[in-house]
CSV table of all heavy atoms in Angstrom, one decimal:
chain,number,residue,atom,x,y,z
I,1,SER,N,-20.4,-40.9,-35.1
I,1,SER,CA,-20.8,-42.2,-34.6
I,1,SER,C,-21.1,-43.2,-35.7
I,1,SER,O,-21.2,-44.4,-35.5
I,1,SER,CB,-22.1,-42.0,-33.7
I,1,SER,OG,-23.2,-41.5,-34.5
I,2,GLY,N,-21.3,-42.7,-36.9
I,2,GLY,CA,-21.5,-43.6,-38.1
I,2,GLY,C,-22.7,-44.6,-37.9
I,2,GLY,O,-23.7,-44.2,-37.3
I,3,PHE,N,-22.4,-45.8,-38.3
I,3,PHE,CA,-23.5,-46.8,-38.3
I,3,PHE,C,-23.8,-47.2,-36.8
I,3,PHE,O,-25.0,-47.6,-36.5
I,3,PHE,CB,-23.1,-48.0,-39.1
I,3,PHE,CG,-23.2,-47.8,-40.5
I,3,PHE,CD1,-22.0,-47.6,-41.3
I,3,PHE,CD2,-24.4,-47.9,-41.2
I,3,PHE,CE1,-22.1,-47.3,-42.6
I,3,PHE,CE2,-24.5,-47.6,-42.6
I,3,PHE,CZ,-23.3,-47.4,-43.3
I,4,ARG,N,-22.8,-47.0,-35.9
I,4,ARG,CA,-23.1,-47.3,-34.5
I,4,ARG,C,-24.1,-46.4,-33.9
I,4,ARG,O,-24.9,-46.8,-33.0
I,4,ARG,CB,-21.8,-47.2,-33.7
I,4,ARG,CG,-21.9,-47.6,-32.3
I,4,ARG,CD,-20.5,-47.7,-31.6
I,4,ARG,NE,-19.9,-46.4,-31.6
I,4,ARG,CZ,-20.0,-45.5,-30.6
I,4,ARG,NH1,-20.8,-45.8,-29.6
I,4,ARG,NH2,-19.4,-44.3,-30.7
I,5,GLY,N,-24.2,-45.2,-34.5
I,5,GLY,CA,-25.2,-44.2,-34.0
I,5,GLY,C,-26.7,-44.7,-34.2
I,5,GLY,O,-27.6,-44.2,-33.5
I,6,THR,N,-26.9,-45.6,-35.1
I,6,THR,CA,-28.2,-46.1,-35.4
I,6,THR,C,-28.8,-46.9,-34.2
I,6,THR,O,-30.0,-47.2,-34.1
I,6,THR,CB,-28.3,-47.0,-36.6
I,6,THR,OG1,-27.5,-48.2,-36.4
I,6,THR,CG2,-27.8,-46.2,-37.8
I,7,THR,N,-27.9,-47.4,-33.3
I,7,THR,CA,-28.3,-48.2,-32.2
I,7,THR,C,-28.5,-47.3,-30.9
I,7,THR,O,-28.9,-47.8,-29.9
I,7,THR,CB,-27.3,-49.3,-31.8
I,7,THR,OG1,-26.1,-48.7,-31.4
I,7,THR,CG2,-27.0,-50.1,-33.1
I,8,MET,N,-28.3,-46.0,-31.0
I,8,MET,CA,-28.4,-45.1,-29.9
I,8,MET,C,-29.7,-44.4,-29.9
I,8,MET,O,-30.2,-44.0,-30.9
I,8,MET,CB,-27.2,-44.1,-29.9
I,8,MET,CG,-25.8,-44.8,-29.9
I,8,MET,SD,-24.5,-43.6,-30.1
I,8,MET,CE,-24.6,-42.6,-28.6
I,9,LEU,N,-30.2,-44.1,-28.7
I,9,LEU,CA,-31.4,-43.2,-28.6
I,9,LEU,C,-31.0,-41.8,-28.8
I,9,LEU,O,-29.8,-41.4,-28.6
I,9,LEU,CB,-32.0,-43.4,-27.1
I,9,LEU,CG,-32.5,-44.7,-26.8
I,9,LEU,CD1,-32.9,-44.8,-25.3
I,9,LEU,CD2,-33.7,-45.1,-27.6
I,10,GLY,N,-32.0,-41.0,-29.2
I,10,GLY,CA,-31.7,-39.6,-29.4
I,10,GLY,C,-31.1,-38.9,-28.2
I,10,GLY,O,-30.2,-38.0,-28.3
I,11,SER,N,-31.6,-39.3,-27.0
I,11,SER,CA,-31.1,-38.7,-25.8
I,11,SER,C,-29.7,-39.1,-25.5
I,11,SER,O,-29.0,-38.4,-24.7
I,11,SER,CB,-32.0,-39.2,-24.6
I,11,SER,OG,-32.1,-40.6,-24.6
I,12,GLU,N,-29.2,-40.2,-26.1
I,12,GLU,CA,-27.8,-40.6,-25.9
I,12,GLU,C,-26.9,-40.0,-26.9
I,12,GLU,O,-25.8,-39.7,-26.6
I,12,GLU,CB,-27.7,-42.1,-26.0
I,12,GLU,CG,-28.5,-42.9,-25.0
I,12,GLU,CD,-28.5,-44.4,-25.3
I,12,GLU,OE1,-28.8,-44.8,-26.4
I,12,GLU,OE2,-28.3,-45.2,-24.4
I,13,HIS,N,-27.5,-39.8,-28.1
I,13,HIS,CA,-26.7,-39.4,-29.2
I,13,HIS,C,-26.5,-37.8,-29.3
I,13,HIS,O,-25.5,-37.4,-29.8
I,13,HIS,CB,-27.3,-39.9,-30.6
I,13,HIS,CG,-26.4,-39.7,-31.7
I,13,HIS,ND1,-26.3,-38.6,-32.5
I,13,HIS,CD2,-25.5,-40.7,-32.3
I,13,HIS,CE1,-25.4,-38.8,-33.4
I,13,HIS,NE2,-24.9,-40.0,-33.4
I,14,ASN,N,-27.4,-37.1,-28.8
I,14,ASN,CA,-27.3,-35.6,-28.9
I,14,ASN,C,-26.1,-35.1,-28.2
I,14,ASN,O,-25.9,-35.5,-27.0
I,14,ASN,CB,-28.6,-35.0,-28.3
I,14,ASN,CG,-29.8,-35.1,-29.2
I,14,ASN,OD1,-29.7,-35.4,-30.4
I,14,ASN,ND2,-31.0,-34.8,-28.6
I,15,ASP,N,-25.3,-34.3,-28.8
I,15,ASP,CA,-24.1,-33.7,-28.2
I,15,ASP,C,-24.6,-32.4,-27.5
I,15,ASP,O,-24.9,-31.4,-28.1
I,15,ASP,CB,-23.1,-33.3,-29.3
I,15,ASP,CG,-22.5,-34.6,-30.0
I,15,ASP,OD1,-22.2,-35.5,-29.3
I,15,ASP,OD2,-22.4,-34.6,-31.2
I,16,ILE,N,-24.5,-32.5,-26.2
I,16,ILE,CA,-25.0,-31.4,-25.3
I,16,ILE,C,-24.0,-30.2,-25.4
I,16,ILE,O,-22.8,-30.4,-25.1
I,16,ILE,CB,-25.2,-31.8,-23.9
I,16,ILE,CG1,-26.2,-33.0,-23.9
I,16,ILE,CG2,-25.8,-30.7,-23.0
I,16,ILE,CD1,-27.6,-32.7,-24.5
I,17,PHE,N,-24.5,-29.0,-25.6
I,17,PHE,CA,-23.6,-27.8,-25.6
I,17,PHE,C,-23.4,-27.3,-24.2
I,17,PHE,O,-24.2,-27.5,-23.3
I,17,PHE,CB,-24.3,-26.7,-26.4
I,17,PHE,CG,-24.3,-26.9,-27.9
I,17,PHE,CD1,-25.5,-27.3,-28.5
I,17,PHE,CD2,-23.2,-26.7,-28.6
I,17,PHE,CE1,-25.5,-27.5,-29.9
I,17,PHE,CE2,-23.2,-26.9,-30.0
I,17,PHE,CZ,-24.4,-27.3,-30.6
I,18,GLU,N,-22.2,-26.8,-24.0
I,18,GLU,CA,-21.8,-26.2,-22.7
I,18,GLU,C,-20.8,-25.1,-22.9
I,18,GLU,O,-20.2,-25.0,-24.0
I,18,GLU,CB,-21.2,-27.3,-21.7
I,18,GLU,CG,-20.0,-27.9,-22.3
I,18,GLU,CD,-19.5,-29.0,-21.3
I,18,GLU,OE1,-20.2,-29.4,-20.5
I,18,GLU,OE2,-18.3,-29.4,-21.5
I,19,THR,N,-20.7,-24.2,-22.0
I,19,THR,CA,-19.8,-23.1,-22.0
I,19,THR,C,-18.5,-23.4,-21.2
I,19,THR,O,-18.6,-23.9,-20.1
I,19,THR,CB,-20.4,-21.8,-21.5
I,19,THR,OG1,-21.6,-21.5,-22.3
I,19,THR,CG2,-19.5,-20.6,-21.7
I,20,ARG,N,-17.4,-23.2,-21.8
I,20,ARG,CA,-16.1,-23.5,-21.2
I,20,ARG,C,-15.3,-22.2,-21.1
I,20,ARG,O,-15.2,-21.4,-22.0
I,20,ARG,CB,-15.3,-24.6,-21.9
I,20,ARG,CG,-16.0,-25.9,-22.0
I,20,ARG,CD,-15.2,-26.9,-22.7
I,20,ARG,NE,-15.9,-28.1,-23.0
I,20,ARG,CZ,-15.5,-29.1,-23.7
I,20,ARG,NH1,-14.2,-29.1,-24.2
I,20,ARG,NH2,-16.2,-30.2,-24.0
I,21,THR,N,-14.6,-22.1,-20.0
I,21,THR,CA,-13.7,-20.9,-19.8
I,21,THR,C,-12.4,-21.2,-20.5
I,21,THR,O,-11.8,-22.3,-20.5
I,21,THR,CB,-13.4,-20.6,-18.4
I,21,THR,OG1,-14.7,-20.4,-17.7
I,21,THR,CG2,-12.5,-19.4,-18.2
I,22,THR,N,-11.8,-20.2,-21.3
I,22,THR,CA,-10.6,-20.4,-21.9
I,22,THR,C,-9.4,-19.9,-21.1
I,22,THR,O,-9.6,-19.6,-19.9
I,22,THR,CB,-10.6,-19.6,-23.3
I,22,THR,OG1,-10.7,-18.2,-22.9
I,22,THR,CG2,-11.7,-20.0,-24.1
I,23,ILE,N,-8.2,-19.8,-21.6
I,23,ILE,CA,-7.1,-19.3,-20.9
I,23,ILE,C,-7.3,-17.9,-20.3
I,23,ILE,O,-6.9,-17.6,-19.2
I,23,ILE,CB,-5.8,-19.4,-21.7
I,23,ILE,CG1,-5.5,-20.8,-22.1
I,23,ILE,CG2,-4.6,-18.8,-21.0
I,23,ILE,CD1,-4.3,-20.9,-23.1
I,24,ASN,N,-8.0,-17.2,-21.1
I,24,ASN,CA,-8.4,-15.8,-20.7
I,24,ASN,C,-9.8,-15.9,-20.0
I,24,ASN,O,-10.8,-16.2,-20.7
I,24,ASN,CB,-8.5,-14.9,-22.0
I,24,ASN,CG,-8.8,-13.5,-21.6
I,24,ASN,OD1,-9.2,-13.2,-20.5
I,24,ASN,ND2,-8.6,-12.6,-22.5
I,25,PRO,N,-9.8,-15.7,-18.7
I,25,PRO,CA,-11.1,-15.9,-18.0
I,25,PRO,C,-12.3,-15.0,-18.5
I,25,PRO,O,-13.4,-15.4,-18.3
I,25,PRO,CB,-10.7,-15.4,-16.6
I,25,PRO,CG,-9.2,-15.6,-16.5
I,25,PRO,CD,-8.7,-15.3,-17.9
I,26,SER,N,-12.0,-13.9,-19.2
I,26,SER,CA,-13.0,-13.1,-19.7
I,26,SER,C,-13.6,-13.6,-21.0
I,26,SER,O,-14.6,-13.1,-21.5
I,26,SER,CB,-12.5,-11.7,-20.0
I,26,SER,OG,-11.5,-11.7,-21.0
I,27,GLN,N,-13.0,-14.7,-21.6
I,27,GLN,CA,-13.5,-15.3,-22.8
I,27,GLN,C,-14.0,-16.7,-22.5
I,27,GLN,O,-13.5,-17.4,-21.7
I,27,GLN,CB,-12.4,-15.3,-23.9
I,27,GLN,CG,-11.9,-14.0,-24.4
I,27,GLN,CD,-10.8,-14.1,-25.4
I,27,GLN,OE1,-10.2,-15.1,-25.6
I,27,GLN,NE2,-10.6,-13.0,-26.2
I,28,LYS,N,-15.1,-17.0,-23.2
I,28,LYS,CA,-15.6,-18.4,-23.1
I,28,LYS,C,-15.9,-19.0,-24.4
I,28,LYS,O,-16.1,-18.3,-25.4
I,28,LYS,CB,-16.9,-18.3,-22.2
I,28,LYS,CG,-16.7,-17.9,-20.8
I,28,LYS,CD,-18.0,-17.9,-20.0
I,28,LYS,CE,-17.7,-17.5,-18.5
I,28,LYS,NZ,-18.9,-17.6,-17.7
I,29,GLN,N,-15.9,-20.3,-24.5
I,29,GLN,CA,-16.2,-21.0,-25.7
I,29,GLN,C,-17.4,-21.9,-25.5
I,29,GLN,O,-17.6,-22.4,-24.4
I,29,GLN,CB,-15.0,-22.0,-26.0
I,29,GLN,CG,-13.8,-21.3,-26.6
I,29,GLN,CD,-12.7,-22.3,-27.0
I,29,GLN,OE1,-12.6,-23.4,-26.4
I,29,GLN,NE2,-11.9,-22.0,-28.0
I,30,ILE,N,-18.2,-22.0,-26.6
I,30,ILE,CA,-19.3,-23.0,-26.6
I,30,ILE,C,-18.8,-24.3,-27.2
I,30,ILE,O,-18.3,-24.3,-28.4
I,30,ILE,CB,-20.5,-22.4,-27.4
I,30,ILE,CG1,-21.0,-21.2,-26.7
I,30,ILE,CG2,-21.5,-23.5,-27.6
I,30,ILE,CD1,-22.2,-20.5,-27.5
I,31,ARG,N,-18.8,-25.4,-26.5
I,31,ARG,CA,-18.3,-26.7,-27.0
I,31,ARG,C,-19.4,-27.7,-26.7
I,31,ARG,O,-20.5,-27.4,-26.1
I,31,ARG,CB,-17.0,-27.0,-26.2
I,31,ARG,CG,-15.9,-26.0,-26.3
I,31,ARG,CD,-15.3,-26.0,-27.8
I,31,ARG,NE,-14.8,-27.3,-28.2
I,31,ARG,CZ,-13.6,-27.7,-27.9
I,31,ARG,NH1,-12.7,-26.9,-27.3
I,31,ARG,NH2,-13.1,-28.9,-28.3
I,32,THR,N,-19.1,-28.9,-27.1
I,32,THR,CA,-20.1,-30.0,-26.8
I,32,THR,C,-19.4,-31.0,-25.8
I,32,THR,O,-18.2,-31.3,-25.9
I,32,THR,CB,-20.5,-30.7,-28.1
I,32,THR,OG1,-19.4,-31.3,-28.7
I,32,THR,CG2,-21.2,-29.8,-29.0
I,33,ARG,N,-20.2,-31.7,-25.0
I,33,ARG,CA,-19.7,-32.6,-24.0
I,33,ARG,C,-19.2,-33.9,-24.7
I,33,ARG,O,-18.2,-34.5,-24.3
I,33,ARG,CB,-20.8,-33.0,-23.0
I,33,ARG,CG,-21.2,-31.9,-22.1
I,33,ARG,CD,-22.3,-32.4,-21.2
I,33,ARG,NE,-22.9,-31.2,-20.4
I,33,ARG,CZ,-24.0,-31.4,-19.6
I,33,ARG,NH1,-24.6,-32.5,-19.5
I,33,ARG,NH2,-24.4,-30.3,-19.0
I,34,THR,N,-20.0,-34.3,-25.7
I,34,THR,CA,-19.6,-35.5,-26.5
I,34,THR,C,-19.4,-35.1,-28.0
I,34,THR,O,-19.6,-33.9,-28.3
I,34,THR,CB,-20.7,-36.5,-26.4
I,34,THR,OG1,-21.9,-36.0,-26.8
I,34,THR,CG2,-20.8,-37.1,-25.0
I,35,ASN,N,-19.0,-36.0,-28.8
I,35,ASN,CA,-18.8,-35.6,-30.2
I,35,ASN,C,-19.3,-36.7,-31.1
I,35,ASN,O,-18.5,-37.2,-32.0
I,35,ASN,CB,-17.3,-35.3,-30.4
I,35,ASN,CG,-17.0,-34.7,-31.8
I,35,ASN,OD1,-17.9,-34.2,-32.5
I,35,ASN,ND2,-15.8,-34.8,-32.3
I,36,PHE,N,-20.5,-37.2,-30.9
I,36,PHE,CA,-21.1,-38.2,-31.8
I,36,PHE,C,-21.3,-37.6,-33.2
I,36,PHE,O,-21.4,-38.4,-34.2
I,36,PHE,CB,-22.4,-38.7,-31.2
I,36,PHE,CG,-22.2,-39.5,-29.9
I,36,PHE,CD1,-22.8,-39.0,-28.7
I,36,PHE,CD2,-21.4,-40.6,-29.8
I,36,PHE,CE1,-22.6,-39.7,-27.5
I,36,PHE,CE2,-21.2,-41.3,-28.6
I,36,PHE,CZ,-21.8,-40.8,-27.5
I,37,SER,N,-21.4,-36.3,-33.3
I,37,SER,CA,-21.6,-35.6,-34.5
I,37,SER,C,-20.3,-35.7,-35.4
I,37,SER,O,-20.4,-35.3,-36.6
I,37,SER,CB,-22.0,-34.2,-34.4
I,37,SER,OG,-23.2,-34.1,-33.6
I,38,GLY,N,-19.2,-36.0,-34.8
I,38,GLY,CA,-18.0,-36.1,-35.6
I,38,GLY,C,-17.5,-34.7,-36.0
I,38,GLY,O,-16.8,-34.6,-37.1
I,39,GLY,N,-17.8,-33.7,-35.3
I,39,GLY,CA,-17.4,-32.3,-35.6
I,39,GLY,C,-18.1,-31.6,-36.7
I,39,GLY,O,-17.7,-30.5,-37.1
I,40,ILE,N,-19.2,-32.2,-37.1
I,40,ILE,CA,-20.0,-31.6,-38.2
I,40,ILE,C,-21.5,-31.7,-37.9
I,40,ILE,O,-22.0,-32.8,-37.6
I,40,ILE,CB,-19.7,-32.3,-39.6
I,40,ILE,CG1,-18.3,-32.3,-39.9
I,40,ILE,CG2,-20.5,-31.6,-40.7
I,40,ILE,CD1,-17.9,-33.2,-41.1
I,41,GLN,N,-22.2,-30.6,-38.0
I,41,GLN,CA,-23.6,-30.5,-37.7
I,41,GLN,C,-24.3,-29.7,-38.8
I,41,GLN,O,-23.8,-28.6,-39.1
I,41,GLN,CB,-23.9,-30.0,-36.3
I,41,GLN,CG,-23.4,-30.9,-35.2
I,41,GLN,CD,-23.6,-30.3,-33.8
I,41,GLN,OE1,-23.5,-29.1,-33.6
I,41,GLN,NE2,-24.0,-31.1,-32.9
I,42,GLY,N,-25.3,-30.2,-39.5
I,42,GLY,CA,-25.9,-29.5,-40.6
I,42,GLY,C,-25.0,-29.3,-41.7
I,42,GLY,O,-25.3,-28.3,-42.5
I,43,GLY,N,-24.0,-30.1,-41.9
I,43,GLY,CA,-23.1,-29.9,-43.0
I,43,GLY,C,-22.0,-28.9,-42.8
I,43,GLY,O,-21.2,-28.7,-43.7
I,44,ILE,N,-21.9,-28.4,-41.6
I,44,ILE,CA,-21.0,-27.3,-41.2
I,44,ILE,C,-20.2,-27.7,-40.0
I,44,ILE,O,-20.8,-28.3,-39.0
I,44,ILE,CB,-21.7,-26.0,-41.0
I,44,ILE,CG1,-22.5,-25.6,-42.3
I,44,ILE,CG2,-20.8,-24.9,-40.6
I,44,ILE,CD1,-23.4,-24.4,-42.1
I,45,SER,N,-18.9,-27.4,-40.0
I,45,SER,CA,-18.1,-27.8,-38.8
I,45,SER,C,-18.5,-27.0,-37.6
I,45,SER,O,-19.0,-25.8,-37.7
I,45,SER,CB,-16.6,-27.5,-39.1
I,45,SER,OG,-16.4,-26.1,-39.3
């Protein structure tokens, strides 16, 4: 979100985690609904 993120509330900016089913129904992925973090959190992808 860069500098634009400074105008957003924390409740707006937080990327909420959710579980998604992959092609294999027995496997699931943890992803985020939004990506204001730009794919990096705490210095780690």
Side-chain angles (χ1 to χ4, degrees):
S1 61
F3 288 99
R4 185 171 63 89
T6 64
T7 66
M8 302 171 67
L9 297 172
S11 56
E12 298 172 313
H13 193 276
N14 284 345
D15 294 317
I16 303 301
F17 288 104
E18 61 184 13
T19 302
R20 299 181 191 174
T21 302
T22 63
I23 297 176
N24 184 345
S26 64
Q27 295 181 341
K28 294 184 178 181
Q29 284 184 331
I30 296 177
R31 302 291 300 272
T32 60
R33 294 178 188 173
T34 54
N35 191 17
F36 296 119
S37 298
I40 304 172
Q41 293 175 321
I44 301 172
S45 61

